[in-house]
Structures are given as C-alpha cells and as structure tokens.
Amino acid sequence: MTAQIIDGKAIAQKVREEVAAAVAQRIAAGKQPPGLATVLVGDRVDSATYVASKQKACQELGMISFHHHLPANVSQEELEALVRDLNADRRVHGILVQLPLPAHLNEERVLSLINIEKDVDGFSPLNIGRLAQKGREPLFVPCTPYGCVYLLEQAGVPIEGAHAVVLGRSNIVGMPAALLLIGKNATVTICHSHTRNLPEIVRQADILIAAIGKAEFVRGDWIKPGAAVIDVGINSKPDPTKKIGYRLVGDVNFEEAKEVAGFITPVPGGVGPMTIAMLMKNTLRAAEIQDV
Ligand code: GUN
C-alpha cells in the first residue's frame, strides 16, 4: 500500500486565496485591512526567518504588518509596555510574540497580557483554557495544531472516534493539538520523552501527530496500516549530495511510513505552509471580531 500524500502546500495556498479574497472584500467595503503585529526578541536565525515569512504573507494577502524587533537583553517591563501599546493600537488586530523568548523573560506573563481578541496565536492562558474545557470555544486555535486538523479534514480522514496518538507535549504544538482532537471527539494518547513502549502505542494510532523534533524518529513498522500520519517535524539532516550540505526531514521516516500509512504529509510541503496560512486566517478573524 502506498499512502495518499496530503499536499499541505496546495491546501495552504487555497486557504491563503480565500483569506486574500475576504481581505479585498473588507477593503472594498471601506473597512480597515487586517493588521498583524509581530514581535521578535533577540537574534535567533530560525525565529527571524519565521517572522519574515509571516510579514511576507501579510503583504501578499493585503494585510498590514507592523514589525517590532527588540534586543535580546530587553527587560520584561519594556516588552510588556510594547504589548500594552499594541493592545491599544486600533490598526493592530493580531499580536504575535515569536517564541521562544530569551530565558530571562517570563513568557507566561507576556502571553497573558495580550488582549484575547488579538491573540491570533491562541497561546494566551484564556484561549488555551477554553480549548481545554468541554463546551467552551477558544477565540483562536494555535496555528500549527489548527493546520494539522485542517489537513486531516481536507483529506477526509474521520476524527470522531479515531484513536489519535500525539508525540510531543509542547505548548506550541503537542498539547494544543491533543486538546483540539479531544474536542473533535477523538480518543487521544499523548506520548513524551518518558513514555514507555512508544512503538507499541504508535501502532494503535488511526491518526499520528508527530511533533518531537527528532529526525526520522518514527519508523515504518510503528505505523498502523492505513493510518493518517501528520508530520510536524522540520529537522535538517546532513546530505552530501545537496549543495547546501543538508536536507529537511520530518520526525517520521517518510520512505518507510508511506508504504504503510493511508495518508501522510511530506516534509517540506506538509504542515509547514499551513502554520502561516492559519495565522492569516486567525488574523482575518481577529479583524472581523474587532469590527463590531
Ligand atoms: N515558535 C514556533 N512556532 C511558533 C508559533 O506558531 N507562534 C509563535 N509565536 N512562536 C512560535
């Protein structure tokens, strides 16, 4: 059996086109373009690259981006003052503080300060709390988990009643992905670095979300035949045949897994493009919420 490849690039492009059309309609109706403020602290190259991609997506979709780059040694008070200013700025509908922050900063306090209506990353305690509670709806769902579930839905993978195994319990991906899947009536097992008999548990998964950041960690013989495999990992692997000396691989051994799975996302071109597409969708929603 060869898995159906879930084309995240194409699905993300369609989301972006829908968002761009809605933005154009807003502007034609005399409303403000959605505005996204990005806050980057320090000089991590990966974070700078992600934030640049988010700014570029805003421009491409007719939104406005406001970028703030603070030095790595910025104080908690200065960062909090910026968030308060952005909360008060009516041109800014969404606020994204790129994570991780330098170790001296209190991430929880910063995220708690973001006005819930502008929390397009869905990381504020109020949004996450609502995601975790039955019968409550968060205003925004964190972008990468939202993208994972959107891919499953677009591929026609049934979630209700399925056994979903989530590898990783990070605040950004694993934990919110598990909460989102529970909310959609999956039975969810969360695995992490202390989990025993990992391959055995993964073999029970109708849906596998791999978000542990270990190159090609999940082997083909861990996959239940016909399962849907969503690979969130983006790892570089040395590859002397490439000019740059490496290539990107996921947390799943793609070549092995695609022979067993029913559906699988590639790396690159799977979950990656979805994170930004869902951020754009959330930012549009933030502008719509703040219209009234
Ligand atoms: N760092 C890695 N992924 C993300 C994300 O989706 N949002 C933010 N704010 N930081 C991140």
Side-chain angles (χ1 to χ4, degrees):
M1 179 177 188
T2 301
Q4 182 181 319
I5 310 291
I6 303 178
D7 186 347
K9 205 171 156 193
I11 295 171
Q13 183 54 33
K14 194 155 169 279
V15 171
R16 289 166 69 123
E17 283 164 12
E18 287 163 7
V19 171
V23 170
Q25 232 175 29
R26 277 182 66 80
I27 294 169
K31 295 180 184 164
Q32 267 192 318
L36 175 69
T38 50
V39 180
L40 174 66
V41 183
D43 300 302
R44 275 182 69 120
V45 174
D46 58 346
S47 292
T49 307
Y50 291 138
V51 168
S53 305
K54 292 168 186 179
Q55 290 173 265
K56 185 162 167 264
C58 281
Q59 280 156 14
E60 288 170 356
L61 272 55
M63 302 190 185
I64 300 183
S65 77
F66 304 90
H67 182 53
H68 297 267
H69 187 182
L70 303 177
N73 63 357
V74 71
S75 69
Q76 181 79 24
E77 291 68 31
E78 284 170 292
L79 178 55
E80 290 186 9
L82 172 61
V83 172
R84 282 199 189 86
D85 285 348
L86 295 173
N87 277 339
D89 189 337
R90 292 181 59 85
R91 301 166 305 162
V92 171
H93 300 99
I95 301 172
L96 181 140
V97 178
Q98 187 67 23
L99 303 176
L101 292 172
H104 70 282
L105 294 168
N106 183 328
E107 176 189 300
E108 190 184 349
R109 262 174 46 201
V110 173
L111 296 178
S112 313
L113 260 189
I114 296 174
N115 180 335
I116 186 175
E117 293 195 339
K118 298 192 177 189
D119 178 31
V120 287
D121 248 338
F123 292 154
S124 85
L126 200 51
N127 264 322
I128 291 290
R130 286 189 185 172
L131 185 63
Q133 289 186 320
K134 205 173 165 202
R136 310 256 162 91
E137 289 279 336
L139 276 180
F140 301 101
V141 173
C143 304
T144 304
Y146 190 8
C148 292
V149 167
Y150 197 87
L151 289 178
L152 289 168
E153 289 175 343
Q154 290 295 305
V157 174
I159 298 176
E160 186 164 303
H163 186 183
V165 172
V166 179
L167 300 187
R169 54 175 163 177
S170 72
N171 291 337
I172 293 177
V173 185
M175 191 57 78
L179 294 173
L180 191 54
L181 288 163
I182 291 173
K184 291 188 177 285
N185 296 324
T187 301
V188 178
T189 304
I190 305 174
C191 300
H192 46 75
S193 53
H194 296 262
T195 298
R196 289 192 213 118
N197 305 326
L198 191 60
E200 230 170 86
I201 296 172
V202 172
R203 277 187 199 108
Q204 297 167 24
D206 303 308
I207 294 170
L208 176 66
I209 311 275
I212 38 169
K214 289 189 183 173
E216 297 178 329
F217 180 74
V218 176
R219 306 302 304 257
D221 66 355
W222 299 15
I223 307 290
K224 179 175 175 175
V229 177
I230 305 292
D231 192 346
V232 184
I234 304 177
N235 312 289
S236 55
K237 186 181 176 189
D239 185 346
T241 70
K242 300 269 179 203
K243 215 169 153 188
I244 44 171
Y246 69 89
R247 69 190 167 93
L248 293 180
V249 298
D251 290 349
V252 177
N253 185 313
F254 182 82
E255 288 307 315
E256 293 177 3
K258 81 176 197 323
E259 298 304 322
V260 191
F263 301 85
I264 190 166
T265 59
V267 177
V271 175
M274 293 304 294
T275 298
I276 294 184
M278 299 333 254
L279 173 66
M280 297 296 105
K281 213 169 153 63
N282 279 351
T283 305
L284 169 65
R285 179 166 151 71
E288 286 168 349
I289 289 170
Q290 287 162 64
D291 277 343
V292 282

